[in-house]
């Protein structure tokens, strides 16, 4: 597999549509839930634990959908969306590393918000350090992530966990008994 070390917005959108890693494998969400505009660096080595790292960015547009409703006359990006951006990147790392299956966020041990993202900010910078990475019995990663505004880290997430699952079934009949979880 030819692994690139950076990805543009156009490439991330192709990945969202299943055009890069295949329709049955991990995909990024499509807008407006895609919380990444570019991956500036991804590596299977390096990072705080020597197991891989990712740096990515999201441009802030004051017209983004969440600023209109969260909150009226006090616009702030929901913290859960920044956290989801970190999960999206850890899932992307698994597929980029050759994993098969559909990605699912599995948890996070500790999250701290020490600031907020406002419409006047220009961009978010994410940094993820892969702490643990396994390929059997399934591709899974544990990571630490941070989110920065103006070079100041304001979100911190420890022990994020994401996995890829090959036998996930989407029940088009909406029968909850077929859901594997």
């Amino acid at each position: 597999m030819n692994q690139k070390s950076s990805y543009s917005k156009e490439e991330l959108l192709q990945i969202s549509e299943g055009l890069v890693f295949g329709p049955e494998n991990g995909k990024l969400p499509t807008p407006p839930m895609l919380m990444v505009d570019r991956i500036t660096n991804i590596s299977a080595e390096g990072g705080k634990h020597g197991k891989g790292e990712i740096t990515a960015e999201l441009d802030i547009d004051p017209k983004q959908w969440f600023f209109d409703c969260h909150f009226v006359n006090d616009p702030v990006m929901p913290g859960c969306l920044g956290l989801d951006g970190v999960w999206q990147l850890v899932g992307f790392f698994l597929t980029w590393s050759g994993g098969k299956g559909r990605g699912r966020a599995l948890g996070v041990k500790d999250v701290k918000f020490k600031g907020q993202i406002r419409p006047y900010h220009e961009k978010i910078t994410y940094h993820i350090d892969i702490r643990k990475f396994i390929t059997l019995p399934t591709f899974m990663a544990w990571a630490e992530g941070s989110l920065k505004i103006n070079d100041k880290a304001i979100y911190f997430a420890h022990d994020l966990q994401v996995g890829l699952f090959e036998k996930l079934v989407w029940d088009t009949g909406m029968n909850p008994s077929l859901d594997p979880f």
Side-chain angles (χ1 to χ4, degrees), residues 51-70:
K51 304 209 185 234
E53 67 181 328
I54 310 160
T55 305
E57 297 173 338
L58 172 68
D59 297 324
I60 299 300
D61 178 347
K63 294 182 175 102
Q64 283 170 306
W65 65 273
F66 45 80
F67 287 130
D68 287 337
C69 57
H70 191 267

Side-chain angles (χ1 to χ4, degrees), residues 156-175:
F156 305 88
H158 298 282
D159 277 339
L160 295 139
Q161 185 180 7
V162 178
L164 294 180
F165 301 91
E166 292 188 75
K167 295 187 179 167
L168 285 180
V169 175
W170 183 55
D171 169 36
T172 56
M174 300 305 287
N175 180 347

Side-chain angles (χ1 to χ4, degrees), residues 1-174:
M1 172 191 237
N2 183 14
Q3 293 176 314
K4 294 176 49 135
S5 62
S6 62
Y7 291 82
S8 68
K9 176 73 174 242
E10 293 76 25
E11 292 168 316
L12 297 178
L13 292 172
Q14 289 176 349
I15 291 163
S16 295
E17 297 295 330
L19 302 174
V20 176
F21 299 118
E24 297 301 316
N25 292 318
K27 295 180 248 186
L28 291 166
T30 58
M33 279 304 299
L34 180 61
M35 293 290 113
V36 180
D37 281 326
R38 72 197 70 76
I39 295 174
T40 57
N41 182 55
I42 183 169
S43 172
E45 300 171 352
K48 198 177 349 180
H49 307 285
K51 304 209 185 234
E53 67 181 328
I54 310 160
T55 305
E57 297 173 338
L58 172 68
D59 297 324
I60 299 300
D61 178 347
K63 294 182 175 102
Q64 283 170 306
W65 65 273
F66 45 80
F67 287 130
D68 287 337
C69 57
H70 191 267
F71 299 96
V72 175
N73 298 321
D74 182 22
V76 61
M77 179 177 161
C80 60
L81 294 180
L83 179 61
D84 200 69
V86 176
W87 269 319
Q88 290 174 21
L89 290 163
V90 176
F92 178 84
F93 180 86
L94 292 172
T95 303
W96 174 86
S97 296
K100 304 291 182 208
R102 296 180 179 174
R104 294 296 185 264
L106 299 173
V108 61
K109 185 176 183 179
D110 184 44
V111 177
K112 299 238 186 292
F113 300 115
K114 304 277 185 172
Q116 55 188 348
I117 300 155
R118 301 293 236 160
Y120 53 79
H121 288 119
E122 291 182 26
K123 73 176 176 184
I124 292 169
T125 302
Y126 296 100
H127 186 83
I128 287 70
D129 290 299
I130 303 299
R131 184 178 61 76
K132 182 178 179 183
F133 174 58
I134 63 170
T135 59
L136 293 173
T138 187
F139 270 68
M140 294 182 91
W142 291 259
E144 297 174 5
S146 65
L147 182 152
K148 291 182 178 180
I149 291 288
N150 299 330
D151 294 322
K152 180 181 179 189
I154 62 167
Y155 290 14
F156 305 88
H158 298 282
D159 277 339
L160 295 139
Q161 185 180 7
V162 178
L164 294 180
F165 301 91
E166 292 188 75
K167 295 187 179 167
L168 285 180
V169 175
W170 183 55
D171 169 36
T172 56
M174 300 305 287

